[in-house]
């Protein structure tokens, strides 16, 4: 079984739910406390042993590439002033030379299309996909670590799922679960945003390990929900050909592509921080809700 060494970060979406903020800045650069969303996803990938990071970007997303580069003037000036603690804060935003690739999705034709844009960089290896606007928070075991562990036992394709209310199933890709062992379900079917008759309440929440054969299916350019090339539709075709499992995530999920979810993520993570948590808690205590 080949190890999972590569990860795709699809960051070419238009972020329309966050307009006007995203008119001139990438959604993935919105900060949760003091780190941009993309940093959380990159940290999660590195914790899971990912070595090669592939960012599928688009026009107006230059800030992401700059963020992961060296900031010479800033760093030289912090050095000159002896602000070493601040230099340390930048350490995680430096990617190892040659380990990050930035390619463009020229048109936002859907998540499946964004993943397909990375096909030549993926080659013939299994790979992870992380959607950075889904902040999956569990410092004890990041979601992708859980997927990699399951992949190393079961092989094939593995996705992260969480239970959502029945009334929300139409917003997600929903799995049809088969046998269950602890937190791991065998998957016998997938439906993208079911209007009715969702096969379960287990929704995919933006973390995937996939076999490279999915690229050939995505190349067929089949349009699904919203006229977009849907990753879920191509994944559904892999079921039966390769093992397909879903891991239940037992941490906290913040949907940061949505304004309310983004604000909640900021409050939740701020409260955990020793430097600003007490002040935020104090502020919240004195609000009349
Ligand atoms: P979303 O469904 O959240 O779309 O995409 P979006 O465009 O980012 O945001 P809204 O709905 O307009 O507010 C989920 C992920 O897939 C990426 C997005 O960048 C996000 O990480 N994506 C989506 C692409 O890279 N390309 C696409 O064509 C669509």
């Amino acid at each position: 079984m080949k190890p999972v060494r590569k990860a795709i970060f699809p960051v070419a979406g238009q972020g329309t739910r966050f307009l006007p903020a995203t008119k001139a800045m990438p959604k993935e650069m919105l900060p949760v406390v003091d780190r941009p969303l993309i940093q959380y996803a990159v940290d999660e990938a590195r914790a899971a042993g990912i070595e090669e990071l592939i960012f599928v970007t688009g026009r107006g997303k230059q800030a992401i590439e700059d963020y992961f580069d060296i900031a010479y003037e800033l760093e030289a000036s912090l050095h000159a002033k002896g602000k070493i603690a601040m230099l340390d804060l930048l350490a995680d935003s430096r990617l190892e030379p040659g380990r990050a690739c930035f390619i463009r999705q020229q048109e936002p034709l859907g998540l499946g299309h964004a993943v397909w844009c990375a096909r030549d960089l993926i080659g013939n290896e299994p790979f992870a996909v992380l959607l950075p606007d889904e902040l999956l928070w569990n410092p004890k075991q990041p979601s992708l670590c859980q997927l990699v562990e399951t992949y190393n036992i079961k092989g094939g394709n593995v996705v992260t799922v969480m239970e959502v209310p029945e009334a929300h199933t139409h917003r997600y890709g929903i799995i049809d679960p088969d046998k269950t062992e602890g937190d791991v379900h065998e998957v016998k079917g997938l439906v993208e945003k079911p209007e009715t008759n969702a096969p379960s309440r287990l929704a995919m929440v933006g973390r995937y390990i996939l076999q490279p054969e999915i690229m050939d299916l995505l190349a067929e350019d089949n349009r699904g929900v919203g006229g977009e090339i849907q990753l879920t539709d191509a994944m559904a075709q892999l079921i039966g050909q390769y093992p397909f499992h879903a891991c239940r995530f037992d941490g906290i999920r913040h949907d940061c592509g949505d304004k309310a979810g983004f604000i909640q993520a900021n409050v939740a993570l701020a409260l955990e921080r020793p430097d600003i948590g007490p002040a935020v808690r104090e502020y919240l205590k004195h609000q009349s809700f």
Side-chain angles (χ1 to χ4, degrees):
M1 204 190 307
K2 289 184 182 167
V4 184
R5 298 187 317 109
K6 300 182 180 182
I8 300 177
F9 302 85
V11 291
Q14 292 177 312
T16 54
R17 284 172 291 162
F18 250 107
L19 286 170
T22 45
K23 180 181 171 193
M25 95 181 258
K27 171 171 73 176
E28 298 78 12
M29 289 302 293
L30 292 172
V32 172
V33 187
D34 51 8
R35 299 150 74 78
L37 273 172
I38 189 72
Q39 179 79 62
Y40 292 90
V42 163
D43 290 349
E44 184 181 330
R46 285 158 141 182
I50 296 297
E51 297 166 7
E52 292 188 27
L53 306 139
I54 302 165
F55 299 85
V56 181
T57 75
R59 278 180 297 284
K61 301 279 182 166
Q62 192 69 36
I64 299 175
E65 202 164 336
D66 289 340
Y67 174 78
F68 285 113
D69 203 347
I70 293 174
Y72 279 108
E73 286 174 13
L74 172 65
E75 293 183 29
S77 129
L78 291 176
H79 232 287
K81 291 175 187 157
K83 297 190 170 175
I84 303 305
M86 283 189 181
L87 275 171
D88 289 345
L89 289 177
L90 301 178
D92 288 344
S93 63
R94 266 194 190 192
L95 298 181
E96 219 188 309
R99 294 293 195 194
C101 304
F102 295 83
I103 52 162
R104 279 195 175 196
Q105 181 191 27
Q106 289 135 326
E107 296 173 87
L109 298 179
L111 175 59
H113 182 259
V115 168
W116 176 76
C117 286
R119 64 198 177 282
D120 286 346
L121 295 168
I122 291 298
N124 195 24
E125 291 188 35
F127 59 97
V129 178
L130 297 96
L131 305 191
D133 50 357
E134 294 276 6
L135 205 168
L136 301 189
W137 190 244
N138 182 355
K140 281 191 216 131
Q141 192 188 33
S143 175
L144 195 64
C145 292
Q146 189 188 7
L147 291 197
V148 168
E149 266 180 22
T150 305
Y151 169 82
N152 288 340
I153 298 166
K154 310 268 186 195
N157 304 278
V158 194
V159 298
T160 300
V161 291
M162 289 190 86
E163 205 158 284
V164 297
E166 180 91 54
H168 294 178
T169 49
H170 68 282
R171 300 180 190 168
Y172 300 91
I174 302 291
I175 67 158
D176 188 359
D178 204 346
K179 276 181 265 160
T180 300
E181 236 179 84
D183 286 341
V184 181
H185 304 275
E186 274 181 33
V187 177
K188 61 176 179 193
L190 293 173
V191 196
E192 180 65 20
K193 301 191 172 78
E195 282 302 333
T196 52
N197 299 329
S200 73
R201 294 201 286 126
L202 294 171
M204 292 187 285
V205 287
R207 300 291 184 275
Y208 315 81
I209 289 176
L210 299 170
Q211 293 301 312
E213 285 75 10
I214 198 165
M215 295 298 187
D216 295 333
L217 299 167
L218 292 168
E220 290 170 9
D221 193 5
N222 293 321
R223 304 296 166 117
V225 175
E228 296 191 341
I229 302 174
Q230 297 288 353
L231 187 62
T232 307
D233 296 343
M235 285 193 298
Q237 295 180 62
L238 293 173
I239 296 170
Q241 298 184 46
Y242 302 90
F244 207 119
H245 293 89
C247 294
R248 266 178 197 255
F249 178 62
D250 70 352
I252 297 170
R253 166 194 178 234
H254 298 290
D255 176 6
C256 292
D258 169 78
K259 287 173 202 167
F262 175 75
I263 303 290
Q264 286 161 16
N266 269 286
V267 173
L269 270 65
L271 287 172
E272 284 191 20
R273 286 267 299 253
D275 53 346
I276 57 169
V280 176
R281 187 166 288 107
E282 197 57 24
Y283 169 77
L284 292 173
K285 226 163 48 186
H286 291 100
Q287 300 310 303
S288 46
F289 296 113

